[in-house]
Structures are given as C-alpha cells and as structure tokens.
Amino acid sequence: MTLDDAVIARHTVKAFEPGKTLPQDKIDTLLNVLQNSPSSVNSQPWHFVVASTPEGRAAMAKSATAAFIYNEPKIVNASHVIALCIRSDLDEQHLQNVLEQEQKDGRFKDEAAKAGQDKGRRSYVAIHRYEQRDLPQWMEKQVYLALGGLLLGAAMLGIDATPMEGFDQRELDLALGLREKGLTSVVLVSLGVRSDNDFNAALPKSRLPRDEIFTFI
C-alpha cells in the first residue's frame, strides 16, 4: 500500500468485529511508532496504556457511559485499545530522565552539548508554565502528534482504527489508576477489524478542495 492509498482508504471505523485479534507483530510496529513519535524539544510528555484483554477493554469501557455510551461497543469489540495520556506536570524527575536517556543514546558529543539541550528544553517548559500558562495544553499538542502517526501507521498496515474523544476522562483516569501515577487521559484509539456494520466504510471520503485549504507562495 502506498502512502496515497493509505490516506484515502483510512476512515474512522464505527463498528468492530468482536473476537478478532490483531497480529502481535503489527501491534509491536504501532507501539514503535508511538515510542518514536516527535515531540517539542523531545519532551515526550506522554504515557500509553494498551488494553489487549477483555478485562482491560472493560476497564476502559467504564468511561463510555451516559452521553458517551455510543462508543462502548467500539472499545469492548476492538482487538486493542490505547489510551494516550499526558503527565500531570513536566517535573524535575521526568526532565532528568529524558536527558539521561538522550545521553545513553549518544546524542551528546560532550557535556556542553548536554547542558545546552537541557537548558533549551527547560526554557520551553518555563515559557509554557509561567508565561503562556498553558503547560497541559502544550503537552496535549505533543500527544496529538503521536495520535496522527498512530492513525497513519495503522492505515499503512491495513489496521482499522477509531480515535475517540467521546469518553468520560475522569472515569477513565479513575478506572486505570492514572492520577496516582501522575497521568491523565487525553484520547482513546481502538484498533481491530471492522465489521459489516461499519457504515462509514461504504461512505465516500469528504474533504474540502485543495484550492480552499492550500496557499502557495
């Protein structure tokens, strides 16, 4: 499948075939996509909870009730569901952890390069914490970069996917024990095999024409 094919074929699945499990090698590829997603100043402010068992999906489905009940089947009938989360704060421990990992991976030619990277990252964190006062929103932006890569990666692998903001964030955080870990959920993605009841599969893709969304200068 070419990239052009994938972006045209990809759609938000409305119904999954229960009992269908995706091959582990394809899941591992998607986890690799998430792990290597880009983030501003390599801040990596995320954590990903992967539900691959009925029990795990049931825990996540606790957040799809009341106004969000329409999403409950998309969670319990999927093969895997991933909760993309952000940290409650970019604290000292996380900043040091990222810096030390960069050093282990050989990104610094000397201590000056390491210090420069640390200073630059901290300056961005400070801007969003103290000046723009939008640190959670800034971290969410990084998670959505990861989401885009995940959806495109799934399309390239021929995996059906459904991104969902329609869930009770508080309920999911409590069901997964996220707050005790300093995390909070942002978006869910169900992965699996679409069923014949997926009405969206038969509908043509609809996007605004290029002359309305592109300006070439």
Side-chain angles (χ1 to χ4, degrees):
M1 182 180 292
T2 67
L3 182 58
D4 281 337
D5 292 335
V7 296
I8 295 300
R10 191 215 66 79
H11 70 282
T12 298
V13 172
K14 300 301 183 180
F16 289 97
E17 188 67 34
K20 296 287 187 178
T21 302
L22 296 171
Q24 188 58 45
D25 62 329
K26 290 190 175 184
I27 293 299
D28 289 339
T29 296
L30 293 181
L31 299 184
N32 187 43
V33 169
L34 286 174
Q35 183 179 7
N36 289 282
S37 296
S39 60
S40 180
V41 293
N42 201 29
S43 53
Q44 304 174 64
W46 45 51
H47 189 85
F48 309 108
V49 180
V50 183
S52 60
T53 64
E55 295 78 14
R57 293 190 295 271
M60 289 193 178
K62 292 179 180 179
S63 65
T65 59
F68 307 116
I69 192 65
Y70 60 92
N71 276 332
E72 191 263 353
K74 303 186 189 84
I75 296 173
V76 297
N77 292 334
S79 171
H80 290 67
V81 185
I82 302 177
L84 287 74
C85 309
I86 58 170
R87 304 178 64 84
S88 58
D89 188 22
L90 287 179
D91 56 18
E92 181 65 24
Q93 181 179 354
H94 179 71
L95 294 176
Q96 285 293 335
N97 190 34
V98 171
L99 187 67
E100 293 308 314
Q101 187 63 52
E102 289 171 331
Q103 182 166 8
K104 290 178 185 177
D105 291 335
R107 291 188 59 83
F108 308 127
K109 64 179 181 179
D110 52 35
E111 285 299 316
K114 179 180 179 180
Q117 172 70 3
D118 187 38
K119 181 179 179 180
R121 182 158 43 234
R122 289 174 184 273
S123 70
Y124 271 85
V125 173
I127 287 171
H128 289 284
R129 175 178 286 136
Y130 300 116
E131 298 173 25
Q132 298 188 15
R133 295 184 294 280
D134 66 345
L135 188 60
Q137 291 76 22
W138 184 60
M139 289 191 285
E140 282 189 355
K141 291 176 182 178
Q142 317 316 314
V143 166
Y144 277 91
L145 289 177
L147 172 65
L150 174 62
L151 295 178
L152 181 57
M156 289 292 293
L157 294 174
I159 293 176
D160 297 311
T162 303
M164 290 174 282
E165 291 181 323
F167 65 95
D168 188 317
Q169 183 186 68
R170 180 179 183 276
E171 285 299 321
L172 186 64
D173 289 359
L174 294 177
L176 301 182
L178 296 178
R179 297 186 178 185
E180 295 85 345
K181 301 174 183 176
L183 303 168
T184 185
S185 54
V186 175
V187 63
L188 292 174
V189 178
S190 289
L191 304 165
V193 178
R194 67 177 180 84
S195 79
D196 293 338
N197 295 324
D198 175 25
F199 66 86
N200 207 26
L203 298 178
K205 187 178 289 288
S206 177
R207 297 293 188 270
L208 292 172
R210 288 190 179 186
D211 60 2
E212 290 189 28
I213 64 171
F214 291 100
T215 297
F216 299 97
I217 60 174

